[in-house]
Amino acid sequence: MSAALLGMALACVAGAQPAERLARPVKHSYTGEDGKFHVEKDATVGNLGVDAYANLGRRMATADLDAVAMSKALKPVLCDRAGAQAVAAVVKDALKEMTTAQRARLKAREPESLTDLAIIIAASLDQVDADAIRADEALGPGAYHDAITGFRIGLEACDFYGQRP
């Protein structure tokens, strides 16, 4: 168990004040009241990717759609070579760091391992600590929950963005 997660768990058990929840640094892209798409001037490509996948995850959660059918329908968009390069690079690096057992769990599509890889992707693209996201999610759905859902859909649809678990 990571030190951050352990610390949050101990604080909750000890009856301490509830831990402060993790927040994304800023909403980097959004549709304004004018109906136009806006991007913050300091947004990185990674930040925009997290925004896009969070939007996908939020829509999936609220639409009550079949995730498998939706991932098949979205495959041409999610797996577009140009658009998925940043995600594919993160997945490739993450897989290099994994043990054979961890890769086997991914290959078997074990939900916990898919979620953890989705957390690694979101953390890398948004330049935050993956352990902080894990600790926040342990408290319940947090700031990255929708993005994690979206990245999980992408991992399934794009067969790990061309990487082999």
Side-chain angles (χ1 to χ4, degrees):
M1 180 179 279
S2 72
L5 182 57
L6 181 59
M8 289 183 136
L10 289 174
C12 288
V13 170
Q17 191 171 10
E20 187 173 322
R21 297 302 302 261
L22 183 64
R24 288 196 62 213
V26 68
K27 189 173 187 180
H28 300 288
S29 63
Y30 58 94
T31 302
E33 291 180 15
D34 57 3
K36 294 180 182 177
F37 182 71
H38 298 270
V39 176
E40 295 295 326
K41 64 181 177 183
D42 63 341
T44 66
V45 171
N47 299 141
L48 298 176
V50 174
D51 287 350
Y53 279 90
N55 187 37
L56 170 64
R58 191 170 28 264
R59 287 176 186 241
M60 286 296 296
T62 58
D64 194 33
L65 300 171
D66 177 24
V68 174
M70 188 60 141
S71 69
K72 285 180 183 178
L74 292 173
K75 187 172 184 165
V77 176
L78 288 175
C79 308
D80 175 69
R81 185 174 174 92
Q85 285 180 341
V87 178
V90 174
V91 171
K92 183 177 182 178
D93 289 344
L95 291 174
K96 286 179 187 176
E97 301 294 320
M98 291 182 184
T99 66
T100 303
Q102 289 171 316
R103 291 169 70 107
R105 286 192 293 276
L106 281 171
K107 191 171 188 171
R109 306 289 204 250
E110 180 185 85
E112 293 83 15
S113 63
L114 289 168
T115 297
D116 195 55
L117 184 54
I119 288 170
I120 291 168
I121 295 167
S124 178
L125 293 177
D126 228 13
Q127 300 172 355
V128 299
D129 182 49
D131 283 338
I133 295 175
R134 287 182 192 101
D136 192 55
E137 286 294 305
L139 298 172
Y144 285 89
H145 191 75
D146 291 334
I148 293 165
T149 301
F151 284 119
R152 282 198 52 185
I153 292 166
L155 286 167
E156 291 278 354
C158 304
D159 197 28
F160 297 91
Y161 297 92
Q163 311 304 315
R164 291 185 153 179

